[in-house]
Amino acid sequence: MKILVVGAGATGGYFGAMLARAGQDVTFLVRPHRATVLRERGLRVTGRDEEWRLEPRLVTADALATPYDLVLLSVKSTALEQAIEDIAPAVGPHTAIVPLLNGLAHIDALNARFGTAPVLGGVAKVITTLNDEGDILRLAPLAHLTIGEQDGSPSPRVEKIRAVLDEAGIDALVPEDVMASMWHKWVFITTFGAVTSLMRGTVGEVNAVAGGPELGAAVLAEAAAVSAAAGHPVPERELTATLDIVTATGSPMVPSLYRDLTAGRPTEVEHLFGDLVDRARALSVATPLLDLATLHLRVHQRRATSPAA
């Protein structure tokens, strides 16, 4: 299978590296600066008592010319519009696109550009980050992908992709309704992001003070209500798991959105929060805490993207 991984960051880089190490035909579409780093250091994965390196096959957008069988799209939502244009030469009549972004707005954008036929639903769950050297640091054992047709229909191509992922040691799941899985991940990531970003602290710091645990539960209730109104109620076990994470005593956990926020970098506010509260309004669901988190992040976004920033 000829695979194009769009982005060689913490998520796409990790899954792409696993596929390449397993012998799959993998090419990484990267920006010139990232290409320079990878050519100098190689693609390195470290952490969790492992450390390995490979020489990745790289391509930049100007050199992309032929279709691929599978496109794994793993970019920040702020780079989505450009990435969609960049991958156009790689999308042929038999290409499957698996996006690994959080939220749902990217599905709408991909469908609008390529039609629904090539676009699958996808959810990535992996706890990785890039260190100062640009290497992929694996922080926890969790690492799996969820994929499926948007309409939930059985699909030979999905099963083929799942088999390729499994052979590479990637835990691949094919649920009955991948769009529900995407909604449920969205509930988790916005709850996690709102609690830490509003309070400007780790999960442990938030829950060490009076009112902290109640905040996590209240934000989760809002996000879950939006998902339920959209026709995708979050299973009780997933609600419990999310609540356990966002109310954990002493936890140092923060999402990547929080790291971007505290570093003064732009965030994915519109893709993750703006789109969710817009859908909440359309569904007549009240989300005062998520509205507040969105406003807070928008103020930061304006500051971070202004010419004087």
Side-chain angles (χ1 to χ4, degrees):
M1 183 176 287
K2 188 178 178 185
I3 302 170
L4 181 69
V5 178
V6 186
T11 300
Y14 177 77
F15 290 117
M18 290 287 288
L19 287 162
R21 189 169 70 159
Q24 290 294 330
D25 181 358
V26 177
T27 300
F28 293 87
L29 174 60
V30 293
R31 299 294 179 208
H33 174 72
R34 183 65 171 152
T36 298
V37 172
L38 292 173
R39 290 188 178 111
E40 291 176 352
R41 290 186 57 80
L43 183 55
R44 298 170 184 253
V45 177
T46 186
R48 303 296 302 174
D49 298 322
E50 65 175 331
E51 184 167 351
W52 46 278
R53 175 184 182 277
L54 56 83
E55 296 287 347
R57 183 184 300 118
L58 306 175
V59 66
T60 50
D62 60 317
L64 195 61
T66 58
Y68 285 73
D69 300 311
L70 172 63
V71 175
L72 286 180
L73 179 61
S74 181
V75 297
K76 291 280 192 182
S77 63
T78 50
L80 176 63
E81 183 177 355
Q82 185 60 56
I84 287 174
E85 294 309 310
D86 289 345
I87 67 173
V91 180
H94 305 293
T95 301
I97 304 171
V98 176
L100 302 181
L101 292 80
N102 293 312
L104 284 173
H106 58 282
I107 295 291
D108 297 335
L110 288 165
N111 288 345
R113 178 63 176 82
F114 300 110
T116 59
V119 183
L120 302 178
V123 177
K125 292 186 178 180
V126 62
I127 304 177
T128 52
T129 189
L130 292 183
N131 63 19
D132 291 341
E133 288 74 38
D135 302 336
I136 298 168
L137 179 61
R138 191 175 179 195
L139 302 174
L142 176 67
H144 70 245
L145 292 178
T146 300
I147 59 173
E149 298 287 350
Q150 291 185 56
D151 64 3
S153 61
S155 167
R157 68 173 177 172
V158 168
E159 287 303 319
K160 183 177 181 180
I161 295 168
R162 183 198 59 75
V164 168
L165 295 170
D166 280 346
E167 289 171 6
I170 298 168
D171 187 11
L173 308 175
V174 181
E176 291 184 1
D177 185 353
V178 74
M179 301 307 290
S181 297
M182 294 179 68
W183 264 102
H184 301 164
K185 173 71 181 297
W186 198 7
V187 168
F188 167 75
I189 206 69
T190 49
T191 299
F192 191 18
V195 168
T196 53
S197 298
L198 276 175
M199 297 299 104
R200 291 295 184 110
T202 66
V203 167
E205 289 172 331
V206 173
N207 289 289
V209 300
E214 289 79 8
L215 174 65
V219 175
L220 175 58
E222 288 186 6
V226 183
S227 186
H232 303 289
V234 183
E236 193 63 36
R237 67 182 182 280
E238 292 192 35
L239 290 173
T240 299
T242 296
L243 188 60
D244 287 345
I245 289 171
V246 300
T247 60
T249 302
S251 171
M253 288 183 64
V254 294
S256 60
L257 180 141
Y258 175 86
R259 290 192 289 269
D260 288 338
L261 175 67
T262 54
R265 296 189 293 263
T267 71
E268 296 182 284
V269 53
E270 295 304 331
H271 192 83
L272 294 179
F273 286 86
D275 188 34
L276 185 65
V277 298
D278 284 348
R279 292 176 193 247
R281 296 294 82 74
L283 294 165
S284 300
V285 178
T287 53
L289 290 170
L290 289 169
D291 292 346
L292 182 61
T294 304
L295 178 60
H296 176 64
L297 290 165
R298 280 173 171 163
V299 171
H300 165 81
Q301 190 81 351
R302 188 174 189 272
R303 183 184 301 124
T305 57
S306 68

